[in-house]
Amino acid sequence: MQTEKATKKRFVIGFLLFLGVVINYMDRSNLSLAAPLLGHDLHLNSVEMGFIFSAFGWSYAILQIPGGLLVDRIKPRLLYAVLLCGWSVATCLQSLVNNFSALFGLRVALGAFEAPSYPTNNKVITTWFPEQERATSTAFYTSGQYVGIAFFTPLLVYIQSTLGWRGMLFLTGVTGVLFSLVWYLFYRSPKDSKANEAELDYIRRGGGLVDADEKENGKKADWLQLKYVLKNRNIWGVFIAQFCLSSILWFFLTWFPTYLVQYRGMAFIKMGFMASLPFLAAYVGILLSGFISDTLIKRGHSTGFARKVPIVTGLALATSIVGANYVQDQTAVILFMALAFFGNGLASITWVFVSALAPSNLLGLTGGMFNFMGNLSAIAVPIIIGILAKGGNFKPALVFISALALIGALSYLFIVGEVKRIVVPEKADQIQLQK
């Protein structure tokens, strides 16, 4: 009897996630491209722009835990479609603003709708992919946050030069609304998809939680169980490092174009092309990261070692951003920025630790906590940089980002230990006994 050949439907799902992340990050970062012109038109100073850049982070971070609860209760097909449509409409409406308050409010709304997106991505990956493919799949969909900006930044700058910053914001928002329909039409959970039993068995055998939706959907969160998870040292190690890693990303998503134009004297159109180079470097970094990590797993190395190698190496490389303080040539500045952001990309498979550590019934909530801790940087970093650069000197800001990268690397080296899934007792009295 011939064995049925496994289908490859999980790769289609990975591609849908990739496209969703491309749109997600275009809608987060398009304001940074618009900032030099938008700030002039709306008469906003550097401190006010710092608060505008951070507005997204307030709601995005605060709603991570409620968002994680939604992920554990609502299936990704419906939830992600609603989120995509919501944040894309908020992006469209930004094209109509005429003052600080309206823009601040819409950036808050954008963050609120995007809050559950990455916990949703993580749940989809954990249910659709086995452990030996998880770093590569996580790297692939996460690469969307870099490749979208890298390849579309010149296009968005051109659109802005033709239609203005309002036209650019409107078109990126419309793109997201259309993709929300695509997601709803094409996404299915593993058991409801056209994946055959051979593929489902392959995913199960590799540790993929194929039945997670059926088993866990609709269960109430047990806060005592979450408290038990938060006592785990590994969890706090990855939380600290994620804040540091996200801080680097948020510099590039917010202040980087302004840094090139206002502090390095780069022409606006030239900035559009030069600013894309670090994102291309980060894209290469994250794809390389997934390949290296999964290759180490397949060669018999422990999960912890295989996942930590690219992350620690990447964070160490990211400290090189401070080198831009010591060069005057614009090309040299971009080279330091590209090296640092390559490191950021190399370190950006950190969600694999959530997949590996989180209890199966708390994937969304643990992912929400992880993203909450990481994206506190979305609140703090834009404001801190705005204050540090207030006097016209950007050097202290780059020292600040470099120091955070070093702290992140040290966290993975000295706090995160053996990586294995946390198993929490089902009943409160059992948890009490294990305190």
Side-chain angles (χ1 to χ4, degrees):
M1 183 175 178
Q2 188 175 3
T3 304
E4 183 182 28
K5 186 177 181 181
T7 51
K8 305 287 185 182
K9 298 300 179 183
R10 63 192 182 282
F11 298 124
V12 176
I13 299 302
F15 184 66
L16 284 176
L17 285 180
F18 168 80
L19 292 177
V21 171
V22 169
I23 292 168
N24 184 305
Y25 270 80
M26 276 203 302
D27 288 343
R28 293 188 197 195
S29 63
N30 52 17
L31 187 69
S32 69
L33 296 177
L37 296 178
L38 177 150
H40 178 267
D41 290 351
L42 301 187
H43 309 291
L44 304 176
N45 60 39
S46 69
V47 174
E48 288 172 322
M49 281 307 304
F51 278 98
I52 290 295
F53 284 143
S54 76
F56 170 93
W58 288 94
S59 55
Y60 187 77
I62 291 169
L63 293 177
Q64 283 301 311
I65 296 173
L69 288 171
L70 287 177
V71 173
D72 287 329
R73 292 179 178 221
I74 303 175
K75 291 185 177 181
R77 183 189 180 200
L78 175 62
L79 179 61
Y80 208 36
V82 171
L83 298 175
L84 269 160
C85 187
W87 86 58
S88 299
V89 169
T91 300
C92 287
L93 292 176
Q94 287 176 63
S95 67
L96 304 176
V97 300
N98 287 302
N99 56 62
F100 173 90
S101 298
L103 183 57
F104 188 91
L106 286 170
R107 292 295 291 182
V108 169
L110 180 71
F113 278 105
E114 287 199 11
S117 59
Y118 260 71
T120 302
N121 293 342
N122 183 63
K123 183 170 185 178
V124 170
I125 287 294
T126 308
T127 57
W128 266 100
F129 286 85
E131 179 64 45
Q132 66 269 24
E133 295 178 359
R134 205 165 287 160
T136 299
S137 57
T138 299
F140 177 69
Y141 86 75
T142 306
S143 73
Q145 70 190 39
Y146 304 116
V147 72
I149 300 172
F151 289 108
F152 288 110
T153 291
L155 175 61
L156 293 179
V157 169
Y158 173 76
I159 291 172
Q160 184 170 246
S161 67
T162 305
L163 302 178
W165 60 267
R166 296 181 187 275
M168 185 266 287
L169 291 174
F170 181 78
L171 286 177
T172 52
V174 168
T175 302
V177 172
L178 295 175
F179 184 72
S180 69
L181 298 175
V182 173
W183 174 269
Y184 188 78
L185 289 173
F186 289 97
Y187 179 80
R188 297 291 186 276
S189 63
K191 297 292 282 291
D192 296 330
S193 72
K194 293 182 180 179
N196 63 11
E197 196 60 36
E199 182 175 12
L200 297 180
D201 286 342
Y202 171 74
I203 297 169
R204 282 194 195 96
R205 288 196 306 272
L209 305 181
V210 169
D211 306 304
D213 280 342
E214 292 180 6
K215 291 181 178 178
E216 312 300 344
N217 225 62
K219 281 190 177 182
K220 291 184 178 179
D222 188 327
W223 294 101
L224 201 57
Q225 289 182 329
L226 179 63
K227 185 178 178 181
Y228 183 89
V229 171
L230 293 179
K231 290 183 177 181
N232 186 279
R233 171 177 168 170
N234 286 344
I235 284 288
W236 282 101
V238 298
F239 283 175
I240 293 168
Q242 190 64 14
F243 175 87
C244 298
L245 181 68
S246 296
S247 296
I248 305 164
L249 176 62
W250 278 105
F251 161 71
F252 281 95
L253 291 179
T254 56
W255 279 103
F256 180 50
T258 301
Y259 167 69
L260 295 181
V261 172
Q262 294 186 0
Y263 295 88
R264 286 296 186 171
M266 199 171 287
F268 192 74
I269 294 295
K270 182 180 179 182
M271 178 276 292
F273 288 94
M274 298 295 276
S276 69
L277 296 178
F279 286 92
L280 282 172
Y283 172 62
V284 173
I286 193 166
L287 292 183
L288 185 61
S289 179
F291 172 76
I292 291 171
S293 187
D294 280 346
T295 298
L296 289 172
I297 287 281
K298 292 170 184 176
R299 291 183 177 179
H301 291 281
S302 69
T303 300
F305 178 81
R307 303 320 190 199
K308 287 180 186 179
V309 165
I311 293 173
V312 173
T313 303
L315 284 164
L317 284 174
T319 63
S320 65
I321 195 170
V322 74
N325 284 343
Y326 303 99
V327 295
Q328 298 300 320
D329 181 69
Q330 292 180 349
T331 301
V333 169
I334 292 297
L335 286 175
F336 274 110
M337 293 290 165
L339 178 61
F341 214 28
F342 170 80
N344 182 271
L346 196 63
S348 291
I349 58 166
T350 48
W351 274 96
V352 296
F353 279 93
V354 180
S355 295
L357 293 171
S360 61
N361 66 315
L362 295 176
L363 280 171
L365 194 52
T366 307
M369 283 295 302
F370 173 79
N371 222 21
F372 166 74
M373 296 299 294
N375 281 283
L376 288 175
S377 62
I379 300 171
V381 169
I383 295 174
I384 292 171
I385 290 178
I387 294 170
L388 291 174
K390 186 177 180 181
N393 180 11
F394 214 87
K395 290 183 178 181
L398 296 188
V399 172
F400 169 65
I401 296 299
S402 181
L404 287 175
L406 178 60
I407 292 170
L410 294 175
S411 182
Y412 269 105
L413 283 173
F414 297 109
I415 300 178
V416 180
E418 182 185 1
V419 177
K420 58 183 179 180
R421 191 173 303 282
I422 300 167
V423 179
V424 294
E426 293 184 2
K427 296 181 180 178
D429 57 348
Q430 293 174 316
I431 295 176
Q432 296 289 343
L433 288 172
Q434 294 190 31
K435 278 188 176 181

